[in-house]
């Protein structure tokens, strides 16, 4: 199994995409209060600045700036995921069972060539990994902030960014 290496940059500004394991659900917006609490607790423990954030039904995008000398955005994402998952469990939520055939399990046996990353517990809330892009300059920053804010329109959830309540657009422009 290959080991993924993320850039070793401290104090970086990064664009992040984090997906639920069960795409097509509305878990994030239905339980947005639990997600907001997980983020607030993580920020209190390990501060970071939020330039933009949008929460969609099954994924989220954000642009963060880390403090000088700090490069642990992955630990922050991990803490948010763990806190949100734990809060969902305490609230009685059971994530939908992941599609077994998509992970190479047929008749209780693994197919040859199936993903070695199949979790033991197939009721995971989040996808195992997340996607990051280190912001290069002001233009890149502006493009990624706009991407966050316009993503609900792109996905056909609303016709105007002002109509999506789960966005930092309201903090900055509303």
């Amino acid at each position: 199994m290959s080991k993924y290496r993320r850039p070793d940059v401290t104090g970086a500004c990064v664009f992040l995409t984090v997906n639920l394991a069960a795409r097509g659900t509305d878990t994030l917006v239905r339980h947005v209060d639990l997600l907001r609490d997980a983020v607030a607790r993580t920020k209190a423990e390990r501060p970071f600045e939020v330039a933009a954030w949008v929460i969609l039904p099954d994924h989220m995008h954000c642009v963060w700036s880390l403090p000088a000398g700090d490069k642990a955005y992955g630990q922050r994402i991990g803490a948010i995921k763990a806190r949100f998952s734990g809060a969902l469990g305490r609230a009685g939520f059971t994530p939908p069972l992941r599609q077994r055939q998509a992970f190479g399990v047929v008749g209780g046996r693994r197919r040859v060539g199936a993903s070695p990353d199949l979790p033991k517990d197939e009721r995971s809330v989040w996808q195992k990994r997340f996607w990051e892009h280190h912001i290069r300059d002001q233009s890149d920053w502006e493009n990624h902030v706009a991407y966050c804010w316009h993503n609900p329109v792109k996905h056909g959830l609303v016709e105007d960014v002002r109509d999506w309540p789960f966005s930092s657009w309201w903090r900055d422009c509303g």
Side-chain angles (χ1 to χ4, degrees), residues 63-169:
V63 177
W64 293 355
S65 292
L66 299 182
D70 192 336
K71 59 184 176 186
Y73 56 88
Q75 290 177 355
R76 288 167 172 86
I77 289 290
I80 291 167
K81 286 177 164 184
R83 287 180 167 131
F84 180 71
S85 298
L88 278 177
R90 287 187 296 280
F93 178 82
T94 302
L97 186 63
R98 295 163 89 176
Q99 294 179 348
R100 295 175 63 87
Q101 287 188 328
F103 290 98
V105 178
V106 178
R109 302 175 90 175
R110 303 223 27 197
R111 284 196 319 240
V112 174
S115 169
D117 294 330
L118 179 65
K120 290 177 185 170
D121 176 5
E122 291 184 1
R123 292 190 181 271
S124 299
V125 173
W126 300 98
Q127 285 185 1
K128 184 176 179 180
R129 303 209 191 292
F130 61 91
W131 190 85
E132 100 282 336
H133 164 78
H134 283 251
I135 302 296
R136 296 181 304 269
D137 55 30
Q138 183 66 27
S139 175
D140 196 28
W141 182 87
E142 290 169 2
N143 289 336
H144 282 86
V145 167
Y147 182 87
C148 288
W149 291 346
H150 290 277
N151 208 248
V153 175
K154 174 187 164 193
H155 285 283
L157 299 168
V158 292
E159 291 185 16
D160 190 295
V161 295
R162 293 174 288 198
D163 296 332
W164 190 250
F166 310 111
S167 170
S168 64
W169 183 89

Side-chain angles (χ1 to χ4, degrees), residues 11-30:
C13 183
V14 291
F15 169 78
L16 302 157
T17 299
V18 187
N19 297 308
L20 290 178
R23 297 302 300 264
T25 63
D26 68 347
T27 305
L28 291 180
V29 295
R30 192 166 15 108

Side-chain angles (χ1 to χ4, degrees), residues 33-96:
D33 55 331
L34 300 178
L35 181 60
R36 287 179 173 151
D37 182 64
V39 171
R41 291 176 55 210
T42 301
K43 276 186 76 176
E45 183 180 278
R46 300 192 78 144
F48 57 94
E49 294 297 319
V50 174
W53 202 313
V54 64
I55 301 164
L56 292 108
D58 62 1
H59 68 286
M60 60 187 182
H61 301 287
C62 47
V63 177
W64 293 355
S65 292
L66 299 182
D70 192 336
K71 59 184 176 186
Y73 56 88
Q75 290 177 355
R76 288 167 172 86
I77 289 290
I80 291 167
K81 286 177 164 184
R83 287 180 167 131
F84 180 71
S85 298
L88 278 177
R90 287 187 296 280
F93 178 82
T94 302

